[in-house]
Amino acid sequence: MRRWIKDPLAILAANPAEGAERGIVVEGGRIVELVGRGQEPAAPVDAVFDAGRHVALPGLVNTHHHFFQTLTRAHPDAINKELFPWLQALYPVWSRLTPDGFRLATRLALTELLMSGCTAASDHHYLFPDGLESAMDIQVEEATALGMRMTVTRGSMNLSVKDGGLPPDNVVQDEDTILADCERVLSRYHDTSEGGLIRVALAPCAPFTVTKRLMTDSVGLAERFDCRLHTHLGETHDEDAYCLEHYGCRPVEYLEEIGWMNERVWLAHGIHFNDDEVERLGRHRVGVSHCPTSNMVLASGQCRTKELEAMGAPVGLGVDGSASNDSSNLMEGVRHALMINRLTYGSGAVTHFDVLRWATEGSARCLGRDDIGAVAVGKQADLALYTLDELRFSGAGDPLAALVLCGAHKADRVMLAGEWKVEDGMPVGIDVERLRVEHGTAAKRFLEAL
């Protein structure tokens, strides 16, 4: 079907000079034409969607999350704490995670993201208590059922409390078990074709939860299967101290030593880098997932986004875990990114175009995708359309700026591969009320054990 998304209020196109004032034509899951001012589509269309009330963006791309944490939002044991004490409070709670609870957490997080305008997501799942060995299969099933693009990151931890790490013994796995399952998941699900819905990345959790061998062997698998690598790095000063004590170097030096300084890699947070480290990361095109909401909640610090980008490092956005963000809303994260970066760099140094770029093109680069993240001919037809009908937008002059400055948080329409996945603000085929009840019931089990 050839469909015309006609006459939007405004549109964030990859190349504004080309002109797309009259909208977008999609066919076969791709964008096939941008219609400029005063023009009509070059060929007849089968359907027209009147976008006269809508501001159109590329579908947002989330580069870092922990879906299972939707079950422990605002948990009494963890509020008002920094990262390490926060983790120590929650690891025993998370060790009770079951397959059914994990499935609901994944379904809810994906639905939340989709409703915020997100069409592609990466989830960093590293928690494998007994009984949850099929976590990656569950996530693929849920993303496929929803029809959402997902980079499934096979995370891992193999250093527990007995090894001097933070996690309890019953949520980690041994190296051989981890590497065997990484290979299984890659062989079964990793789709590098253009427009593919499911891709796989390997994601040892952090320097303080995994061994050096696991990090280096993950590089070998990534090269063999042509996949991405992901880990937490540079989030807190505690991490710096841990690396200096255990490895005799700072986290970025450790990354270089184990073969992780390359274009396959994107890092979560990337806050505490010095000038030399920023230059090295940029030179090697290592991506960084900026997670502004979580960084503010945990008081972790401020990512050096502008310097990293200037040096050549792709910068994307992530909501991070829903126990350190307490939300899975990437559009909300776009506004938070604007605010914290203006506090860092000044009001004129970071614009709404910058943060929207990070949430779309920058995030797509972090995930190694060149087929999404932009409104341009040939890209996948992944679009997020927002209205300006709410009171918060009344009086707004610039529609694109209004989405960020006035705080848009819910898309009215979301298209993925040319098909509507959200209509009138609600996900197609999802009983949101039922999901809320089922997920809420599962989450209460974590509180009942207090």
Side-chain angles (χ1 to χ4, degrees):
M1 175 182 286
R2 187 175 172 87
R3 181 184 284 119
W4 182 12
I5 314 298
K6 182 181 177 182
D7 295 333
L9 285 172
I11 183 168
L12 185 67
N15 184 2
E18 292 180 0
E21 293 85 354
R22 297 219 63 202
I24 308 159
V25 179
V26 304
E27 185 177 16
R30 291 183 175 84
I31 298 171
V32 296
E33 185 181 356
L34 302 182
V35 185
R37 182 182 289 113
Q39 297 178 354
E40 298 282 325
V45 298
D46 303 300
V48 175
F49 176 74
D50 183 357
R53 296 171 48 241
H54 296 84
V55 182
L57 302 180
L60 307 182
V61 181
N62 181 45
T63 57
H64 187 66
H65 206 329
H66 305 295
F67 289 175
F68 73 90
Q69 292 181 13
T70 61
L71 294 164
T72 54
R73 299 195 236 232
H75 195 282
D77 286 352
I79 55 177
N80 307 322
K81 291 180 178 176
E82 294 184 357
L83 179 65
F84 274 26
W86 174 85
L87 284 170
Q88 289 167 331
L90 284 173
Y91 272 138
V93 180
W94 294 335
S95 69
R96 300 195 299 273
L97 187 62
T98 66
D100 288 344
F102 182 62
R103 183 176 294 279
L104 286 167
T106 297
R107 187 179 304 166
L108 185 122
L110 284 169
T111 303
E112 274 190 282
L113 287 168
L114 183 64
M115 292 173 70
S116 78
C118 183
T119 54
S122 173
D123 184 54
H124 188 178
H125 185 74
Y126 52 78
L127 199 74
F128 289 86
D130 288 344
L132 197 58
E133 292 80 7
S134 62
M136 298 297 96
D137 307 279
I138 290 171
Q139 291 205 316
V140 171
E141 289 167 8
E142 290 298 318
T144 302
L146 195 57
M148 194 163 171
R149 301 190 199 281
M150 186 172 175
T151 295
V152 180
T153 63
R154 206 303 182 179
S156 54
M157 298 190 295
N158 70 326
L159 290 178
S160 63
V161 172
K162 65 178 173 52
D163 307 303
L166 291 179
D169 298 339
N170 63 338
V171 300
V172 304
Q173 297 174 305
D174 64 76
E175 291 169 341
D176 292 336
T177 298
I178 291 166
L179 292 166
D181 195 55
C182 287
E183 185 165 353
R184 179 190 72 85
V185 173
L186 282 163
S187 298
R188 185 169 184 179
Y189 297 120
H190 188 43
D191 180 3
T192 59
S193 65
E194 183 180 355
L197 287 180
I198 303 296
R199 294 191 179 181
V200 177
L202 302 183
C205 184
F208 49 85
T209 59
V210 297
T211 57
K212 183 179 290 188
R213 180 203 159 194
L214 185 55
M215 295 290 282
T216 55
D217 283 4
S218 294
V219 174
L221 278 174
E223 291 173 349
R224 180 176 155 201
F225 285 91
D226 189 22
C227 76
R228 309 294 280 187
L229 292 162
H230 184 53
T231 192
H232 296 90
L233 204 83
E235 186 175 3
T236 67
H237 289 302
D238 289 333
E239 179 190 302
D240 292 345
Y242 182 94
C243 287
L244 285 168
E245 179 182 351
H246 289 82
Y247 306 122
C249 60
R250 287 172 54 83
V252 172
E253 293 176 275
Y254 177 64
L255 209 67
E256 194 151 27
E257 180 183 330
I258 57 177
W260 274 60
M261 289 289 274
N262 60 71
E263 292 184 3
R264 293 189 186 278
V265 175
W266 89 101
L267 308 172
H269 303 293
I271 295 169
H272 299 290
F273 297 147
N274 60 36
D275 290 346
D276 175 67
E277 291 165 345
V278 167
E279 189 278 329
R280 275 192 282 170
L281 290 163
R283 175 161 29 96
H284 292 285
R285 301 296 185 264
V286 175
V288 174
S289 173
H290 175 34
C291 302
T293 309
S294 173
N295 295 163
M296 289 188 284
V297 168
L298 295 176
S300 299
Q302 292 158 252
C303 179
R304 300 184 66 182
T305 52
K306 295 290 284 185
E307 293 97 328
L308 285 161
E309 198 169 42
M311 289 294 111
V315 173
L317 288 189
V319 298
D320 199 16
S322 288
S324 61
N325 178 326
D326 302 303
S327 174
S328 299
N329 189 315
L330 190 56
M331 195 62 197
E332 181 182 65
V334 169
R335 186 169 190 257
H336 290 166
L338 181 76
M339 301 306 173
I340 193 172
N341 279 277
R342 285 193 169 178
L343 185 64
T344 304
Y345 298 107
S347 61
V350 180
T351 72
H352 61 285
F353 289 114
D354 291 318
V355 292
L356 289 170
R357 182 183 70 255
W358 294 339
T360 53
E361 292 180 74
S363 286
R365 284 186 64 197
C366 284
L367 298 186
R369 301 201 65 146
D370 59 7
D371 55 347
I372 62 174
V375 174
V377 172
K379 300 290 187 181
Q380 292 292 302
D382 293 2
L383 304 168
L385 277 61
Y386 303 82
T387 67
L388 302 181
D389 298 340
E390 297 172 77
L391 294 179
R392 71 180 70 213
F393 299 112
S394 185
D398 183 314
L400 285 168
L403 292 182
V404 181
L405 294 171
C406 302
H409 64 279
K410 185 177 181 181
D412 182 67
R413 286 262 176 165
V414 177
M415 175 178 281
L416 206 156
E419 299 294 331
W420 293 119
K421 296 298 182 180
V422 171
E423 296 180 352
D424 300 323
M426 299 301 291
V428 175
I430 297 290
D431 186 336
V432 173
E433 185 175 346
R434 178 181 176 182
L435 177 57
R436 173 64 181 88
V437 171
E438 291 178 345
H439 181 275
T441 300
K444 285 180 181 177
R445 298 191 189 108
F446 286 98
L447 290 172
E448 288 168 356
L450 286 176

